[in-house]
Amino acid sequence: MNKNSERPVVLVIAGNDPSGGAGIAADIQAISALGAHPAPVVTCLTVQDTCNAYEVECCDAAFVYRQASRILEDLPVAAVKIGLLGNAEIANTVAQLLKASDTVPIVLDPVLVAAGGARLATLDLKHAIINMFCPLATVITPNASEIRELAGPVDGDGDLQQARAKKLFDFGCEYVLAKGADEPDPDPGQQSLDKVTNTLYRRDGSVHVNTWPRLPHSYHGSGCTLASALAALLAQGVDMVEADSQAQDYTYAALSRGFKPGAGQHIPLRHWR
Ligand code: PLP
């Protein structure tokens, strides 16, 4: 793998959402819009609309492995974006493959629950994310409910989100980008009803806070958009703090141009140019 391609390649390992709001379609749009080339490896198919997800059908783990390893052998992959993995067997197989590959930035969106509330990860998969993927990830991008679930109980005093990020560092990643849109005011001082605060924590203790005006709708695929944008920028050699800031600007712009094609959530417009 290397970073020298004219249009850097992002290997995307994620599931399909047929509404086109989240999942691999979202990843392809965001990565393309930000100047990189997405190489999409599908882990699972879902039955889903803009309201919720209803079924997940996983690919055979060995088949996922063969898709990804062919790409890693052929293309100069410059970053990896991990979305919905489907099940623990796929997660373990993909983790083994990435462990054996050259080092490039890995953006892990730890998808546990669909925006409509449906559970997308079993307990086994959650443990595989913690044990196999957190050690491999450069940055993990949980929302408020995901960071709480992944970190487990933390000490009640002080900044709970920072304490949870520290627990994820213990599992192994270098950065945690904690997103706040899903839970207005989860911990006093972190969020508010009119703003969204997303915070980038680094293992060395540095913290970068990014605040947006809270948009009036809820969105299908906002997390996929942000994580993919980040991967596309990291693939182009942009450093993490700048990539985070540019990815958030792009995501806010995509969300504020969002549209409502069905009965449920809005979908970000990721390619308006
Ligand atoms: N990937 C797939 C295939 C999904 O179905 C979903 C949510 O439904 C996600 C990822 C995560 O979506 P979001 O970006 O809204 O967190």
Side-chain angles (χ1 to χ4, degrees), residues 118-150:
R119 188 84 202 163
L120 292 172
T122 58
L123 201 58
D124 273 11
L125 176 53
K126 184 175 89 175
H127 288 144
I129 289 173
I130 291 171
N131 297 321
M132 306 295 296
F133 273 94
C134 287
L136 287 174
T138 312
V139 55
I140 170 163
T141 63
N143 61 25
S145 72
E146 287 161 347
I147 195 170
R148 203 177 36 243
E149 194 176 334
L150 292 171

Side-chain angles (χ1 to χ4, degrees), residues 22-233:
I24 211 134
D27 300 335
I28 290 169
Q29 291 174 349
I31 290 165
S32 304
L34 286 176
H37 172 71
V41 166
V42 177
T43 55
C44 58
L45 306 177
T46 66
V47 174
Q48 187 161 186
D49 56 25
T50 57
C51 301
N52 213 344
Y54 309 99
E55 288 178 50
V56 179
E57 184 81 35
C58 291
C59 294
D60 174 61
F63 183 66
V64 175
Y65 179 94
R66 291 199 298 281
Q67 292 181 69
S69 67
R70 196 97 315 280
I71 296 309
L72 286 165
E73 276 176 34
D74 184 38
L75 298 182
V77 170
V80 179
K81 190 261 167 173
I82 310 283
L84 181 60
L85 285 156
N87 64 31
E89 196 188 350
I90 294 173
N92 289 330
T93 306
V94 170
Q96 295 306 336
L97 177 64
L98 294 178
K99 220 194 274 182
S101 305
D102 295 347
T103 307
V104 294
I106 297 178
V107 179
L108 170 63
D109 185 8
V111 181
L112 301 178
V113 177
R119 188 84 202 163
L120 292 172
T122 58
L123 201 58
D124 273 11
L125 176 53
K126 184 175 89 175
H127 288 144
I129 289 173
I130 291 171
N131 297 321
M132 306 295 296
F133 273 94
C134 287
L136 287 174
T138 312
V139 55
I140 170 163
T141 63
N143 61 25
S145 72
E146 287 161 347
I147 195 170
R148 203 177 36 243
E149 194 176 334
L150 292 171
V154 290
D155 212 345
D157 294 332
D159 183 336
L160 293 182
Q161 186 171 262
Q162 187 151 29
R164 291 181 185 122
K166 279 190 186 142
K167 289 242 340 235
L168 298 196
F169 293 137
D170 293 343
F171 300 147
C173 56
E174 178 66 19
Y175 293 89
V176 173
L177 172 54
K179 302 172 295 186
D182 60 319
E183 288 186 5
D185 205 13
D187 301 321
Q190 287 287 344
Q191 299 292 330
S192 76
L193 292 175
D194 58 349
K195 289 193 188 110
V196 169
T197 300
N198 294 331
T199 308
L200 180 69
Y201 299 96
R202 190 176 190 180
R203 171 182 282 283
D204 68 5
S206 58
V207 177
H208 294 269
V209 177
N210 211 302
T211 302
W212 310 345
R214 185 173 285 277
L215 292 162
H217 311 294
S218 79
Y219 295 86
H220 205 77
S222 54
C224 301
T225 307
L226 179 59
S228 288
L230 190 54
L233 291 158

Side-chain angles (χ1 to χ4, degrees), residues 104 186 232 239 270:
V104 294
D239 75 66
R270 285 170 281 252

